Every structure is written in structure tokens, then in C-alpha cells.
Amino acid sequence: MTQHQRNMSTPIDPVKLDRLAEVAVKVGLQLAPGQDLLITAPAAALPLVRRIAEHAYKAGAGLVMPFFSDEDITLSRYRFGPDASFDRAAGWLYEGMAKAFTANTARLAVVGDNPMLLSGEDAAKVARANKANSMAYQPALEKVVGFDINWNIVAYPGTAWATLMFPDDSESDAVAKLADAIFSASRVDNDNPIANWTAHNAALRQRTDWLNGQRFRALHYSGPGTDLTVGLADGHEWVGGASTAKNGIVCNPNIPTEEVFTTPHALRVEGHVRSTKPLSYQGTLIDDIAVRFEQGRIVEAKASRGADVLNKVLDTDEGARRLGEVALVPHSSPISKSGLLFYNTLFDENAACHIALGQCYSKCFVDGAKLSPEQISAQGGNKSFIHIDWMIGSGEIDIDGIGSDGSRVPVFRKGEWA
Amino acid sequence: MTQHQRNMSTPIDPVKLDRLAEVAVKVGLQLAPGQDLLITAPAAALPLVRRIAEHAYKAGAGLVMPFFSDEDITLSRYRFGPDASFDRAAGWLYEGMAKAFTANTARLAVVGDNPMLLSGEDAAKVARANKANSMAYQPALEKVVGFDINWNIVAYPGTAWATLMFPDDSESDAVAKLADAIFSASRVDNDNPIANWTAHNAALRQRTDWLNGQRFRALHYSGPGTDLTVGLADGHEWVGGASTAKNGIVCNPNIPTEEVFTTPHALRVEGHVRSTKPLSYQGTLIDDIAVRFEQGRIVEAKASRGADVLNKVLDTDEGARRLGEVALVPHSSPISKSGLLFYNTLFDENAACHIALGQCYSKCFVDGAKLSPEQISAQGGNKSFIHIDWMIGSGEIDIDGIGSDGSRVPVFRKGEWA
Ligand SMILES: [Zn+2]
Ligand SMILES: [Zn+2]
Ligand SMILES: [Zn+2]
Ligand SMILES: [Zn+2]
């Protein structure tokens, strides 16, 4: 009996874990009765996926289809796989997922793997595998990025991730701390998380309404190592919090989320900018990024760590050197105030203003759902296989909005809404 | 430190588990360099799947693609899913798997779930879900059953399965006992399992060579409650142990395997037969089956338990009432001698002579790979969405081979090769 109890104990609060599952289904996805649900998750996140499946079926899901990955199996490929393996990807699976999304299947991604999983592996193999996978996944990703369907990402406190963040704690304490950080950032550490999310979405809506009223031509960033003008796409729209997918469902794609964001003009970015937090990109940490833009294109890129991976990423395709997103997050956001570096974009992008290399979001255009890829491109929307957010905000960043007449309106001062 | 060691202890011998993985890859699949591998497994079988992935990559696998199911998530659907869920299946996924098999992807299935998982659920829902799944899976199953590619099934000692088999033991002891039973039946409880399998395959080949030389027209079974004549398909071929897939790879589809088997004639089965062991069919136990055949078709079916599920299964399609396989296993086979009921066909079919309702195997015809579905049908091969083996052998069964001239040759006496 004693042994049994010990085995069943977990550092993860089961009540908050269940609330996170409920928020993922009811707020993140707003899963519609009869809708199928495709879940991807680390195998270690099984306890959360089980809670999600139950809430999804209670919400009337047609079929819940979980797909699990495993850190150990991923590493086996790098350690023992033949060279030719690294140009392969499960194209048939991704084509099938694209079909499922076309048939209105909702999409939920659980993240929780060790962000440094591949940091010790051959960077060339990592880049080849990522590229093969990105290209194969493209037909499915387009449905998600194009917001054809309701989708959501939530996090589970994986052990390796937790010990990376809390290296001085025991495994169990580290997992408990990361679990609490996830629950807090995801706003489920209270008795009425659904109502809490409704209020949070309304607050974000106030910000986007103001920005959309201003119709800025560009944003100008100044701060240490940063003097950057980001032109905004023609007909850009600021979005944040809940938004409406093309299938008509109002959902919250990211949990947590603190950002409001829109589409920069792919050809109209000038100047230089420095990252303010490390970027954890598919297993590699890229630190102290410093880049210079000319006519929207990165013409110079440095990093104190992971520069080789950064430069491989920038060479993925033509759009990889241009911006697809610009996002505003106050320095006082709860995730920023936690002082934690999560090594995970889902959290770290909500701690600071950021920009993203690569693919833009069609929903960040006025009437974006009706625009063809050609129209989006003509209005300045960028196209790429990649979409990588990196942090440029801090308590020292000032941002001005520049109107079509050249007038300047303070947007951020010292990292806060002006 | 103490806690750590306790958590990491497992009742499953890691050396034998690794050998089972090696046998699955090198004997079961004979995975070819560059071949992709699709694995399905219970989430609980992750430790075995990890070992399989490593051996597969060491053998030169292109991409190892594991797909995990979970008992708890499966039950959630029955407990909380809407009624319409039970007519749904992941067609897009199975279509994709069919594509993968067409592209020469190998197939490995790990079994280990609780055989009684669905025994408490609504039988009508279970039947609907199974039918929807079988129909959606058909395009992929055809490639496996048609032996287009090398495939294999192995088992992992799941906890619920173990406690079902060993109800008087602690969980840990039950898992240890089932693990040992699996390792022993799978012939990995010795230092040279690969050589052991080579010898075992040669012994099975001797039996099939003799049977193929006899060219029996029919087999006649007699024993308690059984007086059955099973006509054999025109151009039938006895197979057993290693055989050659259409992609040219010699593999062992089942681990363990003790049977030699061939195709009965779908229209030429007469008489009555009783099951000698319970049949565990997708979560329901069906016991004391007694059926009567007329012109190959089951015209009467009874069971002391699970009769409703049995009769639903028989109504799946026209071929569900006819035989697709007849298999010979001596009563002295190692699995029979273990005295264990595994509640799992992979093991129990290797403890006794058996027959299967439903789909036949094209490889059980002379030059089967070259026969069209129409030719197979014309020679007496059965077609169905299902293939369900059930045990009719015991120490009391006599079997005669009946030649084309009506002559009788003893094949089995008192459950042993004559
Ligand atoms: Zn963002
Ligand atoms: Zn982004
Ligand atoms: Zn069989
Ligand atoms: Zn069979």
C-alpha cells in the first residue's frame, strides 16, 4: 500500500491540471459539438492529454485523435539513424492532417519537451530534418496559419524542461515549480478560469481597438542596440486574445497569451535590433541575436551562441530573412514579472515585445480571410516555411507609432503602454 | 537517491525486453536499410517502443513513426462521447497508412492493452465503433493482409492485462509473470534468440513442406462437440514461420508463432465445432462458442458468454460467417504447456489448432502474390472486413487429411502431429 501511494504521487496539482485541460477545450479551442480533435503531445504529457480527451468528449467531440512524440525516440534517430534519414519526413501523415483540417478537425498542440533536446546533436542534421519536416508539414500548417480551423497550444511540465529551468532543484521540485508557473501564466490558478479568460480577452481587445483606430504606417523602436523602423503591411489589422477562425469559431490559439500583434511589411523594415532574451529554436539556444535590415531583408546577422543554426534558419527560403509578425507585450506582463526564462516561445514571447521571421498570419489583415495569397503578398505579407518569434522588448524600449503623415504617437515608454 | 531507485525499478527484465525489440526488428520484420517503419502501440509500451526504435535506426531505418493509443482515452470516448462518435473513424489517417505501405513502409504492431477493456461498455457502441474503424482501415489492412510489405506483431506486458491473467498476484508480480511468459513464448529467454528463431523457422518449414506435398482436399476434425469437415481452397498453400512478403523481404509476421496454416474453401465447410478456449474479441470475452456450418456458412451460432457480440460480429458482412484460415498447432506447443490463457489471439492461437472467421491471406495460395482478388475468390478464398481466430484444438482432437480420391491420412491424433 505504501509503495502504491508513493508511485501515484505527483508534483503536479491534479485540480489545476484538469482546469488547464478544461480551458484548452472551452477557451483555447471552443470545440464545437461533433468536431473531431487532433492532438499532438509529448508522450510524457499523457496525464494532461487524458484530461483534455475527457473534456473534449464531454463537449461533444466526434473523435479525439492524439499523436505522441517521445524525446528518447527522437534522440535515437540522431544517434543511430543513417544519414539519409535526415532528409525524410512523414509526408503521408501531414497530407492526411491537411485533409482532416479541411474537414473541420480542430487542432491542439501540447508542448513540454526539453527545449535543449537537440543541442548536443549535429547542427547540419538538425537543420536538414527540420527543413524536410517543415516542407512536408506545409500543407497542414497552411490551414492552421491561415486560421481555417480553431486551434490551440498549451504546455505540460516535462521533466527535462523543468530541470533546465530550475537546475538547482530536485526533479520533483523542479516539475512542481514549472507546473505552477504554467498554471499561473495560463490563468488556471483561480476558481473560475473560464470567467477570468473572458475578462482577459476583453482587456486585450481594448488595446487592439485603439491600435486599429490609429492606422499607423510604421513603428519605430529605440533602445540599447536597437534603432529599428518596422513598416506595417497595407490593410494590416492588430489582433490579440480571442479571435474568429474561418470556420466561425471564436478561439484562443495560444494559452498563455499576453500579446497584441499584426503584420509588418515584408519590404519596409530598416535599421538594427538586438534580442533581449535567448531564443530556443528546436533544441538549440540562440543568444544575443543582432541583425540589420535593409528594405525588409536581414543583410547581417550575428549571435553570441547558436549563430550557425541562426544562419541556416535564415537560409531556409527567401522569406526567412523577412518579418511576418510584430507583437507588443508590456514589460509588466505576468510572465515577464515571473522573471523566468522558459526557453519556450509560447511563454517567452508573452514576456516581451517581439518580432517573428517568416510566414505572416492572414488574420492580421482587414478581411484577411477573403484575401488570396497573391493579395496578401501585394499588401506586404511575408511568405516562408518558417515562423520564428524572438524577443526584442525590455524595460528600456520606447516605441512610437508613425502616422501616414509622418506624425509620431507614443505607444510604449520604458517597456510599458504609453 | 533511494526514491530514485525505487521509481526506476521495473518488474520487466530490461535485457530480455531489449532482446524482444531486437528480434522484432531483425526476425519479425527483417527491416531493410532505408525502409520506413510505422509502429502502433499502447502508450504504456513506450519502454519497448524505445528499444525497437533504436534497433530499427541501427538497422538503417529511414524514419520510425510510432503511433500510441491509450486505454484511458479509449474509455473516455465510451463514457463521455456523443452517440454520433461511434460511427466515426480516422479515415484520413488510415488512407495515409495505406499510402505509406504502398511506398514500402514496414509495419509493426505492439499489443498489450487490457483485453477486457471494453467489456463493461455498451456492446452496440463497441460494435459500431469497430465496424467504422474496420471499414476505414480496410485500404491499409489490405496491404498488410495481402503481404505487400514485411510486418510483425509483438507483445508488451501491460498492467491491466497482467492483473487479468494473474488476479491473485500484486500488480508488480503480475507484470513480472506476464513479462516472463511473453519473453519465453517469444523465444528471447536465451542468449542467442536470433539463432533460436532460425532453427524454429526451419522446424515449421518441415511441417508445411509435408502438408504441401499431401495436397489434401479437406481436413476432418473430430472431438468432443466437434464433427467438422473443412474443405481447403483450390491451390491452397500451407505456410508457417518465416515467409516472403511481396516486397521480397523474408519476415515473421507473428512473434510468437507456433502454427502452420492455410486457406479453407469459403463454400466447403460442413458440420459443427466448439471452441476450446475463450475468445477475447476487442474487449469482450466470448466463451463456449458452438457453431454449425452449411456450405461454408455459419447457420447457427451460440456462446455461453458474449453471444450478442459474437452475433454482431457475424453480421459484419457476408464473409464474416465464413472461414478465412485453418491452422494446426500441437497441444504440446510451449504456449499450450504454459497452461496460461492470455486472452489474446497472438498467444492463444499458438496454444491450439484454430480457425478464423473472415478475410483469407493471399499468401496461403500457390503463387498468391500473382492472383487477383477475383481469382482468389474463384479458388475459394473468403473476403471480409474481419479476421478473427478462435481455438478449436485440445488434447482430444483428431484430424484426418482427406485426399482428392477420398483417402484419409492421419494428421493429428489426440492433439499431436500423427
Ligand atoms: Zn507573437
Ligand atoms: Zn509568432
Ligand atoms: Zn492463425
Ligand atoms: Zn488468423
Side-chain angles (χ1 to χ4, degrees):
Chain A
M1 287 303 264
T2 309
Q3 198 189 346
H4 226 143
Q5 283 168 348
R6 226 183 345 249
N7 285 346
M8 284 168 67
S9 77
T10 160
I12 302 170
D13 182 333
V15 173
K16 290 179 184 170
L17 190 72
D18 185 67
R19 276 192 209 138
L20 182 60
E22 188 179 1
V23 162
V25 170
K26 293 185 181 167
V27 176
L29 293 171
Q30 291 242 26
L31 195 72
Q35 224 186 353
D36 289 344
L37 172 59
L38 190 160
I39 304 173
T40 55
L46 184 60
L48 176 60
V49 177
R50 285 175 168 174
R51 305 310 310 136
I52 290 168
E54 182 173 323
H55 283 288
Y57 278 123
K58 284 177 174 169
L63 208 55
V64 177
M65 298 167 286
F67 295 85
F68 295 99
S69 59
D70 177 63
E71 293 179 341
D72 190 274
I73 294 174
T74 301
L75 282 182
S76 263
R77 184 183 179 201
Y78 284 92
R79 306 260 162 94
F80 306 111
D83 186 72
S85 171
F86 299 94
D87 299 317
R88 299 196 56 74
W92 62 267
L93 177 62
Y94 295 139
E95 279 168 37
M97 288 184 177
K99 265 193 221 173
F101 299 150
T102 302
N104 201 35
T105 297
R107 168 84 172 91
L108 192 141
V110 178
V111 298
D113 270 340
N114 179 2
M116 302 299 286
L117 184 66
L118 301 181
S119 59
E121 307 306 319
D122 177 355
K125 284 182 179 173
V126 173
R128 283 165 60 200
N130 285 341
K131 185 171 182 181
N133 208 61
S134 294
M135 291 180 71
Y137 187 51
Q138 180 72 359
L141 183 64
E142 270 173 9
K143 314 276 176 198
V144 177
V145 173
F147 214 16
D148 288 21
I149 42 131
N150 43 332
W151 60 273
N152 174 243
I153 311 181
V154 288
Y156 182 82
T159 303
W161 181 20
T163 52
L164 175 70
M165 282 182 62
F166 304 101
D168 298 332
D169 289 287
S170 72
E171 250 181 35
S172 174
D173 287 352
V175 169
K177 284 185 180 178
L178 176 54
D180 285 346
I182 290 171
F183 295 146
S184 165
S186 305
R187 298 171 181 266
V188 298
D189 57 350
N190 60 81
D191 288 338
N192 203 342
I194 309 291
N196 192 303
W197 269 94
T198 304
H200 179 51
N201 278 328
L204 290 169
R205 170 58 66 92
Q206 279 197 318
R207 298 294 184 192
T208 57
D209 283 352
W210 179 77
L211 284 162
N212 285 323
Q214 295 290 324
R215 305 240 50 81
F216 293 128
R217 178 172 57 80
L219 298 179
H220 178 255
Y221 294 71
S222 53
T226 290
D227 179 1
L228 182 73
T229 302
V230 178
L232 299 180
D234 301 334
H236 70 270
E237 178 156 317
W238 288 90
V239 301
S243 46
T244 308
K246 287 182 191 165
N247 66 1
I249 296 176
V250 178
C251 67
N252 265 84
N254 287 5
I255 285 179
T257 188
E258 303 288 337
E259 61 175 346
V260 298
F261 57 106
T262 194
T263 306
H265 198 294
L267 309 176
R268 298 181 192 155
V269 184
E270 302 286 342
H272 51 92
V273 62
R274 271 200 204 159
S275 65
T276 51
K277 285 171 181 275
L279 165 61
S280 172
Y281 175 70
Q282 299 191 345
T284 303
L285 210 65
I286 309 176
D287 213 350
D288 297 322
I289 301 172
V291 301
R292 190 163 61 79
F293 287 90
E294 279 182 10
Q295 297 181 352
R297 191 163 183 277
I298 292 179
V299 292
E300 204 184 322
K302 292 178 202 164
S304 68
R305 180 177 177 183
D308 51 342
V309 172
L310 174 64
N311 278 294
K312 280 209 176 63
V313 164
L314 292 175
D315 287 340
T316 308
D317 53 25
E318 173 57 26
R321 290 186 177 269
R322 298 180 184 274
L323 295 187
E325 177 191 340
V326 56
L328 302 177
V329 180
H331 188 59
S332 63
S333 92
I335 295 170
S336 176
K337 276 162 77 179
S338 78
L340 295 171
L341 176 65
F342 285 79
Y343 302 88
N344 184 311
T345 300
L346 179 64
F347 291 84
D348 293 328
E349 75 161 348
N350 286 303
C353 290
H354 58 274
I355 50 181
L357 301 172
Q359 181 67 43
C360 73
Y361 292 105
S362 63
K363 71 172 178 179
C364 292
F365 285 94
V366 177
D367 287 331
K370 294 173 190 155
L371 298 177
S372 68
E374 292 69 29
Q375 286 171 313
I376 286 174
S377 195
Q379 291 182 218
N382 191 32
K383 188 169 167 55
S384 172
F385 283 123
I386 66 164
H387 176 101
I388 301 172
D389 301 88
W390 51 288
M391 274 37 86
I392 61 170
S394 71
E396 296 170 279
I397 281 281
D398 291 344
I399 307 174
D400 283 350
I402 302 174
S404 52
D405 58 354
S407 63
R408 298 177 80 101
V409 177
V411 177
F412 265 52
R413 286 294 177 265
K414 301 283 171 208
E416 299 300 324
W417 288 99
Chain B
M1 286 302 266
T2 309
Q3 200 189 346
H4 226 143
Q5 284 169 347
R6 223 175 358 243
N7 285 348
M8 284 169 67
S9 77
T10 161
I12 301 170
D13 182 332
V15 173
K16 289 178 184 170
L17 190 73
D18 185 67
R19 276 190 208 138
L20 182 60
E22 187 179 1
V23 161
V25 171
K26 293 186 181 167
V27 176
L29 294 170
Q30 290 243 25
L31 194 73
Q35 228 188 348
D36 289 345
L37 173 59
L38 191 160
I39 304 174
T40 57
L46 183 60
L48 176 59
V49 177
R50 285 175 168 173
R51 305 309 309 137
I52 289 167
E54 182 173 323
H55 282 289
Y57 279 123
K58 284 178 175 171
L63 208 57
V64 177
M65 299 167 286
F67 295 84
F68 295 98
S69 59
D70 177 64
E71 294 180 340
D72 190 273
I73 294 174
T74 301
L75 282 181
S76 263
R77 185 183 178 200
Y78 285 92
R79 306 261 162 92
F80 306 111
D83 186 71
S85 170
F86 299 95
D87 300 316
R88 300 195 55 74
W92 63 267
L93 177 62
Y94 296 141
E95 278 167 38
M97 287 185 178
K99 262 191 223 173
F101 299 150
T102 302
N104 201 35
T105 297
R107 167 86 172 90
L108 192 142
V110 178
V111 299
D113 270 339
N114 179 2
M116 302 299 287
L117 184 68
L118 301 180
S119 59
E121 308 305 319
D122 178 356
K125 283 183 181 172
V126 173
R128 282 165 60 201
N130 285 341
K131 186 172 180 180
N133 208 61
S134 293
M135 290 180 71
Y137 187 51
Q138 180 72 0
L141 183 65
E142 270 173 9
K143 314 275 176 199
V144 177
V145 173
F147 215 16
D148 289 21
I149 42 131
N150 43 331
W151 60 274
N152 174 243
I153 311 181
V154 288
Y156 182 82
T159 303
W161 181 20
T163 52
L164 175 70
M165 283 182 61
F166 304 101
D168 299 331
D169 288 288
S170 72
E171 249 182 34
S172 173
D173 287 353
V175 169
K177 284 184 179 178
L178 176 54
D180 285 345
I182 290 171
F183 295 146
S184 165
S186 304
R187 299 171 182 265
V188 298
D189 57 351
N190 60 81
D191 288 339
N192 203 342
I194 309 291
N196 192 304
W197 269 95
T198 303
H200 179 51
N201 278 328
L204 290 169
R205 170 59 67 92
Q206 278 196 320
R207 299 294 185 192
T208 57
D209 283 351
W210 179 78
L211 285 161
N212 285 324
Q214 294 291 324
R215 305 244 48 87
F216 293 129
R217 177 171 58 78
L219 296 180
H220 177 256
Y221 294 72
S222 54
T226 289
D227 179 1
L228 183 72
T229 302
V230 178
L232 299 180
D234 301 331
H236 70 269
E237 177 154 318
W238 288 91
V239 301
S243 46
T244 308
K246 287 181 192 165
N247 66 2
I249 296 175
V250 178
C251 67
N252 264 85
N254 287 3
I255 286 179
T257 187
E258 302 289 336
E259 62 175 344
V260 300
F261 57 107
T262 193
T263 306
H265 197 294
L267 307 175
R268 299 179 191 157
V269 184
E270 302 287 341
H272 50 92
V273 62
R274 270 199 204 157
S275 65
T276 50
K277 286 170 181 275
L279 165 62
S280 172
Y281 176 68
Q282 299 191 348
T284 303
L285 209 66
I286 309 176
D287 214 349
D288 297 323
I289 301 172
V291 301
R292 191 162 60 78
F293 288 90
E294 280 182 7
Q295 297 181 349
R297 193 165 181 277
I298 291 177
V299 292
E300 205 184 322
K302 293 179 201 164
S304 67
R305 180 178 178 183
D308 51 342
V309 172
L310 174 64
N311 279 292
K312 280 212 176 62
V313 165
L314 293 176
D315 287 339
T316 308
D317 53 25
E318 174 55 28
R321 289 185 177 269
R322 298 181 185 274
L323 296 187
E325 178 192 341
V326 55
L328 302 177
V329 180
H331 188 60
S332 62
S333 92
I335 295 170
S336 177
K337 277 161 79 180
S338 78
L340 296 172
L341 176 65
F342 285 80
Y343 303 87
N344 184 310
T345 300
L346 180 63
F347 292 84
D348 293 328
E349 75 160 349
N350 287 303
C353 289
H354 57 273
I355 51 182
L357 301 171
Q359 180 67 42
C360 73
Y361 293 105
S362 64
K363 72 171 177 178
C364 293
F365 285 94
V366 177
D367 286 331
K370 293 173 192 156
L371 298 178
S372 68
E374 293 70 29
Q375 286 172 312
I376 286 173
S377 197
Q379 290 181 218
N382 192 32
K383 188 170 167 56
S384 173
F385 283 123
I386 66 164
H387 176 102
I388 301 172
D389 301 89
W390 52 289
M391 275 35 87
I392 62 171
S394 71
E396 296 170 282
I397 280 279
D398 291 344
I399 306 174
D400 283 349
I402 303 176
S404 51
D405 58 352
S407 62
R408 298 177 81 99
V409 176
V411 176
F412 266 52
R413 283 297 176 266
K414 301 284 171 207
E416 300 300 323
W417 287 99

